[in-house]
Amino acid sequence: MDQLKIALVNEDAGETGIQIAKQLSESLPFEIESDYSNEKALQKLEDNKIALLIHIPENFSASAQKGESAEINFTVNEASATMVSSSMSTIVKEINQQLSTSFSTQTAQGILMNMNVPEEQAAAMAQQIENAYVGNYVIINDVPDGMHNSMLPMFLTMACYVGAMIASMQLVQVYKHNRGKASRFKLFGYVQLSALIIAIVSTIFALIVAYLITDLDTAVMLKVAGQQVLLYMAAFNVCAIFTFLIGEAGMIINIPILLSQTIANGATIPREMMYGYYEVVSYITPMYHSVNSYFAVMFGSTDASPFVWGLVAVGVGALIINLLVVTVLHRKEPAPRSIIQ
């Protein structure tokens, strides 16, 4: 958790705001960034570059001195890894509880100096104690309730990847079985064309299911459809590398790579919290790019293009590796098989 970054924006020049900002900077176990404006920090939060934005308004100290509600805004981005959003919610509740207790105590000390007050005035003072501090928990890019919404980017990606992994084993075996009947490059082209047809058909079925169980609109579905086809082709070529190299035994390598991506895909924990191995996996495999692009397209307002281009880079890189394997290792064509009548 200490690898996460949060932004602390203090616009209050008063003593109270400066003191609270200092206490938060010293006590929170995160990397604190305090050199942003509120607008810049909000954009960082939109892009998931920070996990939490704490904003102390410029009238904070003045409100506290006047006996009015002193407010601090805590903003989180729900279109992010589930561990980040849930952890930030817990941390904000703890901060608010401590600050509320502190402000109530200070307000009560001032009020106790005025004893034997009328009933109506006593009620007003009690209300003043209760509202001495207000911590606003603000959510941007709200994700609808339910696991079918929050985990849709991950499960849609995993379903596509597993299907592509199985198809890579089957289609490459067909490629090897038919060597000698056509050139290896023509057969390689047939393999890619077959994978593309499967990608389009499987995407139709996947999005029908997604449409039936979620509230995504048609415009979002069209964007998801294009990425789902791209993801399938990228995942297919990544998995096909090992099948082209060592045949069916390549599944022995593909399965742990798949399992590694369940941690490294960014749906549960962000890249900042990953150990080195998983962080490397997140860069060179398709799932991380796909999951974060889906979060941006389905629930967020940030730009999905960096993740889409990352997915393209992984797919093109895997395709080039497969072409090299076919060119170098499959140079010798097998003798044509005799047909036994």
Side-chain angles (χ1 to χ4, degrees), residues 130-341:
E130 183 179 352
N131 297 329
Y133 166 77
V134 176
N136 298 315
Y137 185 68
V138 183
I139 295 174
I140 61 172
N141 302 326
D142 188 21
V143 177
D145 293 336
M147 182 178 287
H148 60 292
N149 288 306
S150 61
M151 299 304 289
L152 178 61
M154 176 179 175
F155 287 126
L156 196 60
T157 297
M158 289 189 66
C160 183
Y161 190 96
V162 171
M165 183 175 68
I166 297 171
S168 69
M169 180 184 67
Q170 296 175 329
L171 291 178
V172 174
Q173 288 305 307
V174 173
Y175 159 89
K176 292 185 174 181
H177 181 76
N178 285 281
R179 286 186 63 202
K181 298 180 181 179
S183 73
R184 62 188 187 278
F185 296 111
K186 183 179 288 187
L187 290 174
F188 183 81
Y190 290 155
V191 167
Q192 296 296 325
L193 179 60
S194 299
L196 179 60
I197 294 172
I198 297 172
I200 295 172
V201 174
S202 64
T203 294
I204 294 173
F205 283 99
L207 295 188
I208 288 174
V209 174
Y211 182 80
L212 291 175
I213 66 174
T214 62
D215 299 325
L216 299 179
D217 59 38
T218 306
V220 171
M221 282 295 183
L222 291 175
K223 294 179 181 179
V224 171
Q227 182 183 316
Q228 190 78 350
V229 173
L230 175 61
L231 168 63
Y232 190 97
M233 295 305 296
F236 175 85
N237 279 285
V238 168
C239 296
I241 292 174
F242 304 103
T243 314
F244 273 120
L245 284 171
I246 57 177
E248 292 183 358
M251 290 294 285
I252 298 174
I253 302 176
N254 279 328
I255 289 176
I257 291 176
L258 167 65
L259 296 177
S260 296
Q261 289 182 82
T262 61
I263 297 174
N265 62 35
T268 306
I269 61 175
R271 185 177 276 163
E272 293 82 1
M273 294 177 62
M274 298 178 190
Y275 287 113
Y277 166 75
Y278 295 107
E279 185 175 355
V280 171
V281 169
S282 73
Y283 282 103
I284 63 175
T285 55
M287 278 198 190
Y288 179 88
H289 307 287
S290 175
V291 167
N292 283 275
S293 177
Y294 279 151
F295 267 122
V297 170
M298 295 177 184
F299 310 119
S301 56
T302 189
D303 187 9
S305 59
F307 304 110
V308 173
W309 282 114
L311 190 57
V312 170
V314 170
V316 171
L319 178 64
I320 292 173
I321 293 173
N322 285 325
L323 273 172
L324 290 174
V325 171
V326 169
T327 301
V328 176
L329 298 184
H330 298 177
R331 183 179 302 169
K332 185 178 179 181
E333 299 286 357
R337 297 180 179 85
S338 59
I339 301 177
I340 300 176
Q341 300 293 336

Side-chain angles (χ1 to χ4, degrees), residues 30 39 50 206 238 266 284:
F30 305 109
E39 292 75 16
I50 58 174
V238 168
I284 63 175

